[in-house]
Amino acid sequence: MSCLFKAGDKDLDGQLDFEEFVHYLRDHEKKLRLVFKSLDTKNDGRIDKQEIMQSLRDLGVNISEQQAEKILKSMDKNGTMTIDWNEWRDYHLLHPADNIPEIILYWKHSTIFDVGESLMVPDEFTAEEKKTGMWWRHLVAGGAAGAVSRTCTAPLDRLKVLMQVHASRTNSMCIAGGFTHMIREGGMWSLWRGNGMNVIKIAPESAIKFMAYEQIKRLIGSNQETLGILERFVAGSLAGAIAQSSIYPMEVLKTRLALRKTGQFSGIADCAKQIFRKEGMAAFYKGYIPNLIGIIPYAGIDLAVYETLKNSWLQRYATDSADPGVFVLLACGTTSSTCGQLASYPLALVRTRMQAQATIEGGPQMTMSGLFKHIVKTEGAFGLYRGLAPNFMKVIPAVSISYVVYENLKMSLGVVSR
């Protein structure tokens, strides 16, 4: 009963009043009905042992017929060896279900939401997906979708970097003017400068992040198939920090290649050699601190907004199924990622400026705090959001392209989706 009391006491005043109890019953019954309907694959209004075994198998848990019968008997009041809705509801109503696997499986914050920025929280895979090797197929499909998406939106990404570094009050670089400048300086192909490195870093970053996330989940000590929002935030942020630390020199190379003038470097290797020769190894970690700090607001707000939108949809529209459909998932993922970017954008801008400082002749070499003060003093708070327009312009096409490529690659790789 103590878990029921905690679940129902919404205002945390230590008392469970009638209004809170009614709200809890309604909310909990809706969740129970969603799970009952998802278990009742025959749609006959009853759950038998085969349906219980199959649903648990889908979640990576294999049980025997005897174990399934034991579960049935614990809920079966009339001895029919099946469970109807009333028996299911009566048994579970006083057992709070905060983490229903059916809802979580449909609402995974998936890798398909690639907007060309670092996603901090990797996919969570079931034990069955890990055992059958479906997890790596998801990652391959997600990585390839990200590569296509980033390549298609690369001109906007390069324009964002140029505006972050060069735009100011005296040089108010606009979108049309920025594109014109790039084409005049280096032709149409110059719009894709830096994209090669942006694509190359997807694979190592995704792999390191996924492995780190799995290890951190074990260190946290959670025995659950999926983590709660706070655990996901901690694990995702730490995994993101480890992955970013490992591939950060690639981030610096991507920025320098995007900012290069025609003929300055012959390729990625030449760019790395010149930076090392002129500036030393430390140049490959310029902007590292604001990049690392930016992980926290990005991951926190991204997750919080996504969970809020998810719960709001479930409360208002979930009647027969927890499956929200493609449009709702894309809308929630796009909105949450955009909010995360908006919160961490000033740190991303300072990171890019620090990465690019050596490319500006006669420019001062400032620290993170010094650069923040300088930007606010000379350009105002608006200066911290230079390049935001092209950054947001690429969100919807990036997400749409990612989704289409991801779904087609999943089918090609034989990924089975629920």
Side-chain angles (χ1 to χ4, degrees):
M1 288 296 288
S2 63
C3 58
L4 163 64
F5 188 90
K6 287 176 184 175
D9 184 20
K10 296 294 181 186
D11 57 9
L12 303 175
D13 62 355
Q15 296 180 345
L16 182 65
D17 59 36
F18 181 73
E19 188 177 341
E20 286 175 332
F21 184 63
V22 169
H23 181 271
Y24 161 75
L25 289 177
R26 285 176 180 166
D27 184 53
H28 196 51
E29 185 169 332
K30 178 183 277 191
K31 290 180 180 178
L32 289 176
R33 187 172 285 279
L34 287 172
V35 179
F36 182 85
K37 288 191 176 186
S38 67
L39 291 174
D40 182 22
T41 54
K42 296 174 186 173
N43 293 318
D44 59 359
R46 293 181 176 277
I47 301 170
D48 59 31
K49 66 180 179 185
Q50 295 300 328
E51 288 171 324
I52 286 177
M53 290 172 71
Q54 183 58 48
S55 65
L56 289 172
R57 200 174 294 124
D58 290 339
L59 293 172
V61 181
N62 292 300
I63 63 170
S64 64
E65 284 196 29
Q66 291 77 13
Q67 288 171 313
E69 284 178 5
K70 190 176 179 181
I71 293 171
L72 272 174
K73 284 177 182 175
S74 68
M75 292 181 255
D76 180 27
K77 291 180 180 178
N78 53 18
T80 60
M81 287 307 290
T82 59
I83 308 163
D84 62 24
W85 161 243
N86 290 326
E87 289 171 329
W88 172 268
R89 181 193 57 201
D90 293 345
Y91 180 84
H92 287 285
L93 202 54
L94 298 180
H95 297 78
D98 294 324
N99 209 19
I100 297 172
E102 177 70 17
I103 293 174
I104 288 161
L105 279 173
Y106 279 124
W107 283 92
K108 282 196 304 184
H109 201 350
S110 181
T111 50
I112 62 171
F113 305 130
D114 190 326
V115 291
E117 304 294 331
S118 300
L119 299 182
M120 295 306 160
V121 185
D123 264 341
E124 291 189 45
F125 299 106
T126 65
E128 185 71 12
E129 285 173 320
K130 290 171 188 171
K131 195 165 77 173
T132 58
M134 285 295 167
W135 65 272
W136 70 261
R137 295 179 191 180
H138 275 284
L139 289 180
V140 168
V148 175
S149 167
R150 291 182 189 200
T151 300
C152 291
T153 58
L156 284 166
D157 193 62
R158 187 181 179 219
L159 177 61
K160 177 195 77 174
V161 173
L162 285 172
M163 291 178 76
Q164 284 179 330
V165 175
H166 296 302
S168 65
R169 278 180 176 169
T170 54
N171 170 28
S172 187
M173 185 186 289
C174 63
I175 292 169
F179 276 123
T180 304
H181 167 75
M182 286 189 285
I183 294 167
R184 278 180 184 164
E185 194 275 329
M188 284 296 292
W189 285 112
S190 70
L191 298 176
W192 277 266
R193 281 180 189 167
N195 182 60
M197 181 53 71
N198 201 25
V199 169
I200 289 168
K201 71 186 179 74
I202 291 174
E205 185 177 14
S206 298
I208 294 166
K209 194 185 300 179
F210 174 71
M211 289 187 287
Y213 189 65
E214 290 298 309
Q215 291 302 317
I216 292 162
K217 278 169 69 174
R218 291 191 184 95
L219 288 173
I220 288 174
S222 175
N223 295 318
Q224 295 177 327
E225 188 66 48
T226 52
L227 301 180
I229 185 169
L230 183 59
E231 291 171 313
R232 286 172 69 202
F233 168 66
V234 172
S237 297
L238 288 173
I242 291 167
Q244 284 281 293
S245 299
S246 304
I247 60 97
Y248 192 76
M250 289 182 163
E251 293 279 359
V252 175
L253 283 171
K254 177 229 166 186
T255 299
R256 292 293 185 91
L257 287 163
L259 292 168
R260 79 182 187 271
K261 293 174 182 176
T262 302
Q264 188 175 353
F265 306 120
S266 61
I268 294 170
D270 183 50
C271 177
K273 282 178 191 173
Q274 288 200 39
I275 293 171
F276 181 71
R277 192 170 63 247
K278 293 176 183 176
E279 304 169 53
M281 195 64 200
F284 291 102
Y285 284 89
K286 284 186 176 178
Y288 175 74
I289 299 299
N291 184 70
L292 209 60
I293 296 170
I295 289 171
I296 296 170
Y298 184 98
I301 291 172
D302 183 23
L303 262 180
V305 172
Y306 188 76
E307 290 294 317
T308 302
L309 292 172
K310 177 187 83 171
N311 291 329
S312 178
W313 187 91
L314 285 168
Q315 288 294 325
R316 293 188 181 189
Y317 304 110
T319 52
D320 296 328
S321 171
D323 183 3
V326 171
F327 179 76
V328 174
L329 279 179
L330 290 175
C332 290
T334 304
T335 304
S336 62
S337 185
T338 301
C339 290
Q341 284 185 72
L342 190 61
S344 62
Y345 194 84
L347 285 159
L349 180 136
V350 168
R351 173 202 67 193
T352 306
R353 289 254 183 123
M354 290 180 75
Q355 290 171 345
Q357 276 181 347
T359 66
I360 302 169
E361 292 180 17
Q365 303 295 302
M366 300 187 197
T367 61
M368 180 183 75
S369 58
L371 200 49
F372 261 115
K373 289 173 186 174
H374 174 74
I375 292 168
V376 173
K377 185 179 178 181
T378 57
E379 303 177 48
F382 180 77
L384 295 170
Y385 288 89
R386 298 280 181 196
L388 189 65
N391 189 59
F392 279 175
M393 281 171 67
K394 73 178 183 174
V395 169
I396 292 175
V399 169
S400 305
I401 294 164
S402 285
Y403 176 74
V404 171
V405 176
Y406 180 77
E407 288 299 310
N408 281 284
L409 278 173
K410 275 204 314 182
M411 286 189 282
S412 302
L413 291 168
V415 175
V416 179
S417 297
R418 284 175 58 84

